[in-house]
Amino acid sequence: MQSDHEPNPRPVVLVDGLTGEQLLAVVGDARVVTNGPLELEGHGSSGVAVLSLAIHQRRLGLEIDHVACIDARGGEDPVSGRPLAVPPAPQVATLITFVAGRDEASAAWTATTADAFRAAGWPVDVAG
């Protein structure tokens, strides 16, 4: 049982359509509040952003335990304004969960992207 003084970690949910500035502001605020590793859940374009944040977390001064990429279809990373980079080997063992949307574009992008992260050595879970 947790005491009233222990934090109850919850994922930071990033909805589709946020700008790069909004994404960074929410993640920055969460980092200050939690004062520990983050768990990020991104939907749609924000799903692409959480993958990018996981890749670049050291450079951005973040500590991320888990990201969930939900119903993404690719496109540009809202934070960098560029397509998602081919994932390098992880510097931190951040778990990545992929959840495809119901349409073929999301399912195809999710499968391809999950395979790329897995091939680079990231711990990957594909839900559904």
Side-chain angles (χ1 to χ4, degrees):
M1 182 186 267
Q2 288 185 317
S3 76
D4 290 338
H5 301 290
E6 292 179 21
N8 184 13
R10 292 191 173 101
V12 177
V13 178
L14 304 168
V15 297
D16 190 26
L18 297 177
T19 66
E21 294 81 21
Q22 291 168 325
L23 287 162
L24 291 174
V26 170
V27 171
D29 290 346
R31 181 182 66 172
V32 170
V33 170
T34 62
N35 196 27
L38 296 173
E39 181 175 346
L40 304 175
E41 179 181 303
H43 295 252
S45 62
S46 292
V48 176
V50 297
L51 296 174
S52 179
L53 290 170
I55 290 171
H56 301 290
Q57 64 184 292
R58 293 271 178 150
R59 183 176 58 79
L60 296 171
L62 300 172
E63 183 181 358
I64 303 173
D65 275 347
H66 177 241
V67 297
C69 176
I70 301 170
D71 195 21
R73 289 165 186 78
E76 292 185 345
D77 163 23
V79 176
S80 70
R82 296 186 210 133
L84 184 65
V86 173
Q91 295 179 347
V92 179
T94 300
L95 174 62
I96 300 176
T97 301
F98 288 92
V99 182
R102 295 181 184 201
D103 61 279
E104 287 183 34
S106 178
W109 183 87
T110 297
T112 300
T113 306
D115 287 345
F117 273 85
R118 192 177 290 114
W122 292 79
V124 171
D125 181 32
V126 179

